Amino acid sequence: AQKVTQAQTEISVVEKEDVTLDCVYETRDTTYYLFWYKQPPSGELVFLIRRNSFDEQNEISGRYSWNFQKSTSSFNFTITASQVVDSAVYFCAFKAAGNKLTFGGGTRVLVKP
Amino acid sequence: DAGVIQSPRHEVTEMGQEVTLRCKPISGHNSLFWYRQTMMRGLELLIYFNNNVPIDDSGMPEDRFSAKMPNASFSTLKIQPSEPRDSAVYFCASSLGTGNSNQPQHFGDGTRLSIL
Protein backbone atom coordinates (compact mmCIF):
# COMPACT_ATOMS: atom_id res chain seq x y z
CA ALA A 1 0.00 0.00 0.00
CA GLN A 2 1.13 3.53 -0.69
CA LYS A 3 1.95 5.96 2.05
CA VAL A 4 2.68 9.67 1.95
CA THR A 5 4.43 11.38 4.85
CA GLN A 6 4.69 15.09 5.44
CA ALA A 7 6.82 15.29 8.53
CA GLN A 8 6.40 19.04 9.02
CA THR A 9 3.06 19.80 10.61
CA GLU A 10 3.51 23.57 10.68
CA ILE A 11 6.01 26.08 9.32
CA SER A 12 6.05 29.74 10.23
CA VAL A 13 8.03 32.27 8.20
CA VAL A 14 8.25 35.98 7.67
CA GLU A 15 7.17 37.38 4.34
CA LYS A 16 9.79 37.12 1.57
CA GLU A 17 11.48 34.13 3.13
CA ASP A 18 11.61 30.90 1.14
CA VAL A 19 9.61 27.91 2.37
CA THR A 20 10.40 24.29 1.54
CA LEU A 21 7.84 21.59 2.23
CA ASP A 22 8.98 18.01 2.54
CA CYS A 23 7.13 14.99 1.18
CA VAL A 24 8.25 11.39 1.32
CA TYR A 25 6.30 8.53 -0.20
CA GLU A 26 6.41 4.75 -0.05
CA THR A 27 5.47 2.52 -2.96
CA ARG A 28 6.43 -0.58 -4.86
CA ASP A 29 4.98 0.76 -8.08
CA THR A 30 7.36 1.79 -10.83
CA THR A 31 4.93 4.16 -12.53
CA TYR A 32 3.20 6.75 -10.39
CA TYR A 33 2.28 10.40 -10.15
CA LEU A 34 2.83 13.00 -7.48
CA PHE A 35 0.85 16.14 -6.80
CA TRP A 36 0.80 19.15 -4.53
CA TYR A 37 -2.44 20.80 -3.45
CA LYS A 38 -3.06 23.98 -1.48
CA GLN A 39 -5.90 24.49 0.98
CA PRO A 40 -6.22 28.17 1.95
CA PRO A 41 -8.20 29.28 5.02
CA SER A 42 -11.34 29.51 2.87
CA GLY A 43 -11.25 25.72 2.68
CA GLU A 44 -11.14 24.79 -0.98
CA LEU A 45 -8.48 22.43 -2.34
CA VAL A 46 -6.48 23.84 -5.22
CA PHE A 47 -4.29 21.76 -7.52
CA LEU A 48 -0.78 23.24 -7.85
CA ILE A 49 1.65 20.89 -9.59
CA ARG A 50 2.16 17.30 -10.69
CA ARG A 51 5.11 15.12 -11.56
CA ASN A 52 5.39 11.74 -13.29
CA SER A 53 7.68 9.10 -11.82
CA PHE A 54 9.59 8.76 -15.07
CA ASP A 55 10.41 12.46 -15.27
CA GLU A 56 12.85 13.60 -12.64
CA GLN A 57 13.52 16.96 -14.18
CA ASN A 58 12.88 19.62 -11.61
CA GLU A 59 10.99 22.71 -12.62
CA ILE A 60 10.14 26.20 -11.62
CA SER A 61 6.78 27.82 -12.15
CA GLY A 62 6.67 31.39 -10.97
CA ARG A 63 7.44 31.36 -7.25
CA TYR A 64 6.90 27.61 -7.02
CA SER A 65 9.56 25.00 -7.63
CA TRP A 66 9.78 21.32 -6.88
CA ASN A 67 12.53 18.80 -6.34
CA PHE A 68 11.64 15.21 -7.22
CA GLN A 69 14.22 12.61 -6.25
CA LYS A 70 13.20 9.07 -7.01
CA SER A 71 16.26 7.62 -5.25
CA THR A 72 15.07 9.00 -1.93
CA SER A 73 11.31 8.85 -2.69
CA SER A 74 10.97 12.54 -2.03
CA PHE A 75 8.95 15.24 -3.72
CA ASN A 76 9.71 18.53 -2.04
CA PHE A 77 8.02 21.81 -2.85
CA THR A 78 9.45 25.30 -2.42
CA ILE A 79 7.75 28.66 -2.35
CA THR A 80 10.22 31.42 -3.10
CA ALA A 81 9.80 34.88 -1.60
CA SER A 82 6.72 33.88 0.37
CA GLN A 83 3.72 36.17 0.64
CA VAL A 84 0.94 36.37 3.19
CA VAL A 85 -1.45 34.91 0.61
CA ASP A 86 0.65 31.74 0.62
CA SER A 87 -0.60 30.98 4.13
CA ALA A 88 -2.45 27.69 3.75
CA VAL A 89 -2.23 23.97 4.35
CA TYR A 90 -0.27 22.19 1.64
CA PHE A 91 -0.91 18.57 0.80
CA CYS A 92 1.33 16.17 -1.06
CA ALA A 93 -0.53 13.37 -2.85
CA PHE A 94 0.40 10.15 -4.63
CA LYS A 95 -1.32 8.12 -7.33
CA ALA A 96 -0.26 4.84 -8.91
CA ALA A 97 -2.27 2.35 -10.92
CA GLY A 98 -5.96 2.93 -10.62
CA ASN A 99 -7.43 6.25 -9.80
CA LYS A 100 -6.96 6.66 -6.07
CA LEU A 101 -5.11 9.61 -4.60
CA THR A 102 -3.35 9.08 -1.31
CA PHE A 103 -2.80 12.30 0.61
CA GLY A 104 -0.22 13.19 3.20
CA GLY A 105 -1.27 14.73 6.46
CA GLY A 106 -0.59 18.27 5.27
CA THR A 107 1.78 21.03 6.33
CA ARG A 108 0.36 24.29 7.61
CA VAL A 109 2.31 27.29 6.37
CA LEU A 110 1.93 30.60 8.14
CA VAL A 111 3.48 33.60 6.45
CA LYS A 112 3.69 36.61 8.71
CA PRO A 113 3.90 40.14 7.34
CA ASP B 1 -15.00 27.35 -17.14
CA ALA B 2 -17.05 26.19 -14.20
CA GLY B 3 -15.28 24.05 -11.66
CA VAL B 4 -16.73 21.27 -9.57
CA ILE B 5 -19.92 22.52 -7.97
CA GLN B 6 -21.07 21.22 -4.62
CA SER B 7 -24.22 21.96 -2.69
CA PRO B 8 -25.02 22.86 -0.07
CA ARG B 9 -21.94 24.70 1.19
CA HIS B 10 -23.04 24.27 4.77
CA GLU B 11 -25.48 21.86 6.37
CA VAL B 12 -26.52 21.70 9.99
CA THR B 13 -28.97 19.02 10.97
CA GLU B 14 -29.97 16.89 13.90
CA MET B 15 -28.85 13.39 14.54
CA GLY B 16 -30.98 10.81 12.79
CA GLN B 17 -31.91 12.99 9.86
CA GLU B 18 -31.12 12.09 6.28
CA VAL B 19 -28.44 14.22 4.64
CA THR B 20 -27.91 14.50 0.90
CA LEU B 21 -24.84 16.14 -0.57
CA ARG B 22 -24.73 17.02 -4.25
CA CYS B 23 -21.98 17.37 -6.79
CA LYS B 24 -21.72 18.48 -10.39
CA PRO B 25 -18.36 17.53 -11.89
CA ILE B 26 -16.48 19.51 -14.49
CA SER B 27 -18.02 18.93 -17.89
CA GLY B 28 -16.13 16.25 -19.80
CA HIS B 29 -14.53 14.70 -16.76
CA ASN B 30 -15.24 11.00 -16.50
CA SER B 31 -14.02 10.27 -12.99
CA LEU B 32 -15.71 11.50 -9.83
CA PHE B 33 -14.54 11.18 -6.24
CA TRP B 34 -16.05 11.77 -2.81
CA TYR B 35 -13.72 12.63 0.08
CA ARG B 36 -14.19 13.39 3.74
CA GLN B 37 -11.88 15.65 5.70
CA THR B 38 -11.62 15.68 9.49
CA MET B 39 -8.96 16.90 11.88
CA MET B 40 -8.40 13.41 13.21
CA ARG B 41 -8.24 11.45 9.96
CA GLY B 42 -7.29 14.03 7.36
CA LEU B 43 -8.50 13.53 3.79
CA GLU B 44 -10.10 10.16 3.17
CA LEU B 45 -11.39 8.83 -0.11
CA LEU B 46 -14.89 7.47 0.37
CA ILE B 47 -15.81 6.29 -3.11
CA TYR B 48 -15.03 6.97 -6.72
CA PHE B 49 -16.76 6.49 -10.05
CA ASN B 50 -15.40 5.98 -13.53
CA ASN B 51 -17.88 6.73 -16.32
CA ASN B 52 -20.70 6.82 -13.75
CA VAL B 53 -19.88 3.34 -12.43
CA PRO B 54 -18.74 2.93 -8.80
CA ILE B 55 -15.26 1.44 -8.86
CA ASP B 56 -14.09 1.48 -5.28
CA ASP B 57 -16.31 2.11 -2.28
CA SER B 58 -13.96 0.60 0.28
CA GLY B 59 -13.67 3.96 2.02
CA MET B 60 -17.37 4.26 2.75
CA PRO B 61 -17.54 4.08 6.54
CA GLU B 62 -20.66 1.98 6.87
CA ASP B 63 -24.03 1.14 5.42
CA ARG B 64 -25.43 4.48 6.48
CA PHE B 65 -23.46 6.01 3.62
CA SER B 66 -24.45 5.60 -0.01
CA ALA B 67 -23.44 7.33 -3.23
CA LYS B 68 -24.96 7.44 -6.67
CA MET B 69 -24.04 8.85 -10.03
CA PRO B 70 -27.12 8.63 -12.25
CA ASN B 71 -25.47 10.50 -15.10
CA ALA B 72 -22.19 12.12 -16.09
CA SER B 73 -23.11 15.49 -14.63
CA PHE B 74 -24.48 14.67 -11.21
CA SER B 75 -23.66 12.66 -8.12
CA THR B 76 -25.07 12.42 -4.60
CA LEU B 77 -23.67 11.26 -1.30
CA LYS B 78 -26.34 10.32 1.20
CA ILE B 79 -26.10 9.65 4.92
CA GLN B 80 -29.08 8.01 6.57
CA PRO B 81 -29.39 8.16 9.50
CA SER B 82 -26.79 10.80 10.29
CA GLU B 83 -24.73 10.75 13.48
CA PRO B 84 -22.59 13.43 15.18
CA ARG B 85 -19.41 11.60 14.19
CA ASP B 86 -20.29 12.21 10.55
CA SER B 87 -19.56 15.91 11.05
CA ALA B 88 -16.81 16.81 8.59
CA VAL B 89 -16.10 18.62 5.37
CA TYR B 90 -17.11 16.53 2.37
CA PHE B 91 -15.37 17.20 -0.92
CA CYS B 92 -16.28 16.12 -4.40
CA ALA B 93 -13.58 16.02 -7.07
CA SER B 94 -13.46 15.14 -10.74
CA SER B 95 -10.76 14.35 -13.26
CA LEU B 96 -10.19 13.44 -16.86
CA GLY B 97 -9.21 9.89 -17.61
CA THR B 98 -9.63 6.69 -15.71
CA GLY B 99 -7.14 4.20 -14.38
CA ASN B 100 -3.48 4.97 -14.75
CA SER B 101 -3.53 8.65 -15.56
CA ASN B 102 -1.55 11.69 -14.49
CA GLN B 103 -4.58 13.93 -14.70
CA PRO B 104 -5.07 15.89 -11.49
CA GLN B 105 -8.29 15.80 -9.53
CA HIS B 106 -10.08 19.12 -9.29
CA PHE B 107 -12.00 19.73 -6.11
CA GLY B 108 -15.20 21.52 -5.30
CA ASP B 109 -15.43 23.97 -2.42
CA GLY B 110 -16.73 21.29 -0.09
CA THR B 111 -19.79 20.89 2.10
CA ARG B 112 -19.28 21.58 5.77
CA LEU B 113 -21.60 19.19 7.57
CA SER B 114 -22.49 19.49 11.23
CA ILE B 115 -24.66 16.85 12.90
CA LEU B 116 -26.01 17.97 16.25
Side-chain angles (χ1 to χ4, degrees), chain A residues 33 37 39 50 95 98-100, chain B residues 31 37 99 101-102 104-105:
Chain A
Y33 311 98
Y37 284 82
Q39 187 172 39
R50 69 180 159 199
K95 184 161 78 88
N99 222 352
K100 297 177 68 168
Chain B
S31 292
Q37 185 178 35
S101 164
N102 71 344
Q105 294 178 18

Side-chain angles (χ1 to χ4, degrees), chain A residues 31-33 35 37 39 42-47 50 52 91 95-105 108, chain B residues 9 31 33 35 37 43 45 48-50 56 58 91 95 97-109:
Chain A
T31 299
Y32 51 86
Y33 311 98
F35 305 84
Y37 284 82
Q39 187 172 39
S42 49
E44 70 272 23
L45 273 160
V46 180
F47 162 69
R50 69 180 159 199
N52 304 332
F91 292 93
K95 184 161 78 88
N99 222 352
K100 297 177 68 168
L101 260 185
T102 300
F103 283 88
R108 182 177 301 276
Chain B
R9 289 297 310 276
S31 292
F33 309 81
Y35 289 87
Q37 185 178 35
L43 273 161
L45 177 66
Y48 78 90
F49 298 81
N50 286 349
D56 186 343
S58 59
F91 286 101
S95 72
T98 60
N100 201 17
S101 164
N102 71 344
Q103 293 299 316
Q105 294 178 18
H106 296 273
F107 286 75
D109 288 344

Side-chain angles (χ1 to χ4, degrees), chain A residues 50-68:
Chain A
R50 69 180 159 199
R51 176 58 57 191
N52 304 332
S53 59
F54 43 86
D55 182 1
E56 289 194 68
Q57 182 178 352
N58 296 311
E59 292 188 17
I60 298 174
S61 175
R63 294 187 298 110
Y64 296 156
S65 62
W66 46 100
N67 184 355
F68 172 43

